[in-house]
């Protein structure tokens, strides 16, 4: 009889989702969780308050050493991890801070992924090993000051001059921009949108940092200025033309966000549970009041449904069966629910909820960026709306 008794209820894993993970997946998750606990959590409130990510180059090298950069890519020093393993890493990194997860996503899923998928053999050998090791930081320039959700309208232009390319234009809101050694820049050409691998020491390239952000404060965000940047013929990514290029990279990064957002939510939720059992009002812990318990129960539902969804999408990606519309499903749901969990957790912490002593408000404000980048809520609604009806409502 006792052999069939279900295991004890675990408040940290109420659905037993860990049972779906194998020992390698659990080991990778624990490695990243331990790294984040040692290297990020003790400092993050200070970095956030200062609006800086000091020691970003050391952090990148350490992330490289644990195999977190370009994690699901193969060869060139990359870890060759599965989609689920990569997702688990994103969750643990974002449980520390969305800024750290953004550093890893942009490096691996955008800059490295673009070179790995669309680059020449020479481009891969030149850039990927150093990027996988965290010796070289990469950024990904798609958004422009006047062009966000509609990247087909981008103005940055690359024109041929003999065999050279000459790039002119501006990119905006570019994660890792000012610290990058290499920028993957998307530009119009006579043949449509092409990607260019731009060494950031090229004459005419500059990347002023964007200050005064109230979200993703522990993340480097920059403008890219391309003032007639001259590049050799082999700077273009040879294997792709058109929006298919950047959109393919974004799908990969969005997939990581489906997991990552649940990390921020988990951190906030756990802070709320802990607080609710120790904070007393009216002579008893506030977690003993039914109204608080209703909040906690509802948050637990959305948190663990979101993790299950991420897991499901990860298994589909590993099986080669994940569609972009399904990634939109996950990104839309999980980021929206994660913000709601942070906001509700904030109410449970009362006034302390607005303090950097607790992670909740930091996660909530970070998630405002996550809600917008990699496709806004509205873009993912339109993707799903089109898939459900067959009618395109984008324009
Ligand atoms: C911290 C941070 C880091 C970022 N990092 C990067 C990066 O590394 N690389 C990069 O290229 N970009 C990056 N971005 C930019 C991000 O991808 C864009 O902000 C995003 O694509 C939205 O573009 P936008 O801000 O220009 O908003 P807009 O496109 O101007 O949209 C404004 C509003 O209008 C809505 N809207 C637009 N069109 C429609 C429509 N057809 N129907 C209904 N509603 C519509 C949008 O959903 C949104 O609510 C970053 C942004 C942030 C905040």
């Amino acid at each position: 009889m006792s052999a069939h008794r279900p295991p004890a209820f675990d408040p940290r894993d109420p659905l037993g989702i860990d049972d779906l993970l194998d020992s390698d997946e659990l080991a990778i998750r624990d490695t990243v969780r331990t790294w984040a606990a040692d290297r990020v959590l003790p400092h993050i409130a200070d970095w956030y308050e200062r609006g800086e990510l000091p020691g970003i180059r050391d952090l990148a090298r350490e992330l490289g050493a644990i195999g977190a950069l370009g994690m699901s890519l193969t060869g060139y020093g990359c870890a060759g991890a599965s989609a689920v393993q990569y997702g688990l890493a994103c969750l643990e990194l974002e449980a520390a801070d969305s800024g750290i997860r953004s550093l890893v996503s942009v490096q691996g899923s955008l800059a490295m992924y673009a070179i790995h998928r669309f680059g020449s053999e020479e481009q891969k050998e030149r850039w990927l090993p150093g990027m996988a090791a965290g010796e070289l930081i990469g950024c990904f320039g798609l958004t422009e000051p006047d062009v966000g959700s509609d990247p087909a309208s981008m103005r940055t232009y690359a024109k041929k001059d003999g065999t050279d390319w000459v790039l002119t234009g501006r990119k905006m809101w570019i994660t890792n921009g000012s610290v990058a050694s290499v920028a993957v820049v998307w530009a119009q050409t006579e043949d449509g949108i092409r990607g260019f691998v731009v060494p950031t020491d090229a004459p005419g390239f500059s990347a002023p940092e964007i200050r005064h952000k109230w979200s993703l404060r522990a993340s480097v965000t920059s403008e890219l200025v391309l003032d007639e940047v001259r590049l050799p013929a082999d700077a273009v990514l040879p294997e792709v033309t058109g929006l298919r290029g950047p959109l393919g990279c974004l799908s990969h990064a969005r997939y990581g966000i489906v997991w990552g957002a649940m990390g921020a939510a988990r951190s906030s939720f756990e802070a709320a549970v802990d607080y609710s059992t120790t904070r007393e009002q009216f002579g008893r812990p506030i977690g003993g009041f039914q109204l608080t318990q209703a909040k906690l129960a509802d948050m637990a539902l959305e948190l663990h449904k979101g993790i299950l969804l991420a897991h499901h999408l990860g298994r589909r990606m590993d099986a080669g069966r994940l569609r972009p519309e399904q990634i939109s499903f996950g990104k839309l749901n999980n980021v929206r629910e994660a913000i709601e969990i942070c906001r509700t957790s904030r109410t449970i912490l009362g006034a302390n909820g607005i303090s950097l002593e607790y992670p909740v408000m930091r996660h909530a404000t970070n998630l405002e960026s996550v809600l917008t980048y990699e496709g806004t809520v509205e873009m993912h609604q339109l993707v799903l709306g089109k898939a459900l009806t067959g009618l395109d409502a984008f324009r």
Side-chain angles (χ1 to χ4, degrees):
M1 282 292 277
S2 62
H4 298 292
R5 192 182 299 154
F9 183 85
D10 178 358
R12 306 236 160 200
D13 182 19
L15 293 177
I17 298 174
D18 280 3
D19 293 350
L20 303 175
L21 303 175
D22 67 25
S23 57
D24 286 345
E25 290 164 346
L26 290 169
I28 286 176
R29 183 190 67 182
D30 292 346
T31 299
V32 179
R33 187 182 288 184
T34 302
W35 179 83
D38 288 348
R39 289 292 286 121
V40 180
L41 291 182
H43 312 290
I44 187 64
D46 178 48
W47 296 344
Y48 201 85
E49 188 151 35
R50 286 158 55 188
E52 292 173 357
L53 193 47
I56 184 172
R57 292 181 195 285
D58 291 337
L59 291 172
R61 276 190 278 268
E62 292 171 31
L63 285 161
I66 61 169
L69 302 178
M71 190 170 170
S72 55
L73 305 177
T74 49
Y76 310 96
C78 303
S82 70
V84 169
Q85 290 170 339
Y86 171 57
L88 288 163
C90 287
L91 189 150
E92 295 304 328
L93 293 170
E94 195 145 1
D97 193 79
S98 304
I100 303 296
R101 201 269 308 137
S102 297
L103 163 65
V104 168
S105 289
V106 169
Q107 175 86 350
S109 286
L110 293 179
M112 292 176 71
Y113 184 86
I115 296 170
H116 193 274
R117 173 126 182 237
F118 304 122
S120 65
E121 196 49 44
E122 295 72 43
Q123 288 167 337
K124 293 180 199 182
E125 278 166 17
R126 175 169 178 199
W127 296 108
L128 292 179
M131 294 173 86
E135 297 291 337
L136 303 173
I137 295 178
C139 69
F140 183 89
L142 180 64
T143 307
E144 301 184 353
D146 295 325
V147 179
S149 301
D150 179 22
S153 306
M154 73 174 64
R155 296 181 188 164
T156 298
Y157 196 84
K159 68 174 192 301
K160 269 283 180 65
D161 184 23
T163 59
D164 288 351
W165 290 98
V166 179
L167 261 68
T168 302
R170 282 168 67 203
K171 298 290 177 181
M172 195 68 184
W173 300 110
I174 306 305
T175 303
N176 298 347
S178 316
V179 291
S181 300
V182 56
V184 172
V185 174
W186 300 93
Q188 302 280 4
T189 72
E190 280 182 357
D191 305 323
I193 290 171
R194 304 293 305 262
F196 294 85
V197 184
V198 184
T200 56
D201 58 3
F205 181 98
S206 58
E209 189 166 351
I210 297 173
R211 307 293 303 181
H212 312 297
K213 293 177 297 174
W214 284 115
S215 173
L216 279 191
R217 289 176 58 74
S219 172
V220 173
T221 315
S222 316
E223 187 180 345
L224 305 185
V225 181
L226 298 131
D227 182 9
E228 302 205 344
V229 176
R230 182 171 289 273
L231 299 170
D234 62 6
V236 71
L237 292 171
E239 300 299 334
V240 75
T241 302
L243 267 188
R244 197 169 64 80
L247 295 186
C249 305
L250 289 171
S251 275
H252 199 257
R254 281 171 191 151
Y255 162 75
I257 292 174
V258 176
W259 286 89
M262 288 297 108
R266 185 189 73 192
S267 167
S268 298
F269 172 69
E270 289 181 353
V273 173
D274 290 349
Y275 193 85
S276 75
T277 56
T278 53
R279 174 74 174 178
E280 293 193 3
Q281 290 295 291
F282 299 95
R284 53 197 288 223
I286 58 170
F289 297 119
Q290 290 180 353
L291 290 174
T292 307
Q293 292 196 357
K295 291 179 188 175
L296 294 174
D298 286 350
M299 286 195 285
L301 296 187
E302 295 310 326
L303 172 61
H304 296 285
K305 277 155 61 181
I307 296 173
L308 267 183
L309 171 57
H311 185 97
H312 172 68
L313 297 184
R315 295 289 181 221
R316 288 188 75 82
M317 187 176 253
D318 279 328
R321 292 175 55 77
L322 185 63
R323 289 203 50 83
E325 296 86 346
Q326 294 167 334
I327 299 178
S328 285
F329 191 119
K331 204 253 178 188
L332 174 58
N333 183 78
N334 282 13
V335 182
R336 203 162 56 180
E337 294 305 330
I339 283 206
E340 240 359 88
I341 288 170
C342 293
R343 288 177 182 153
T344 306
S345 297
R346 218 284 307 146
T347 68
I348 291 178
L349 272 74
N352 278 321
I354 73 156
S355 167
L356 265 175
E357 298 272 318
Y358 296 88
V360 178
M361 191 77 171
R362 176 169 55 79
H363 286 309
T365 56
N366 277 338
L367 287 171
E368 293 294 340
S369 290
V370 182
L371 200 67
T372 285
Y373 69 24
E374 310 277 351
T376 63
V377 167
E378 294 76 14
M379 291 304 111
H380 293 297
Q381 287 173 322
L382 292 175
V383 168
L384 287 175
K386 182 178 168 193
L388 292 168
T389 64
L391 301 170
D392 182 339
F394 280 91
R395 58 189 86 240

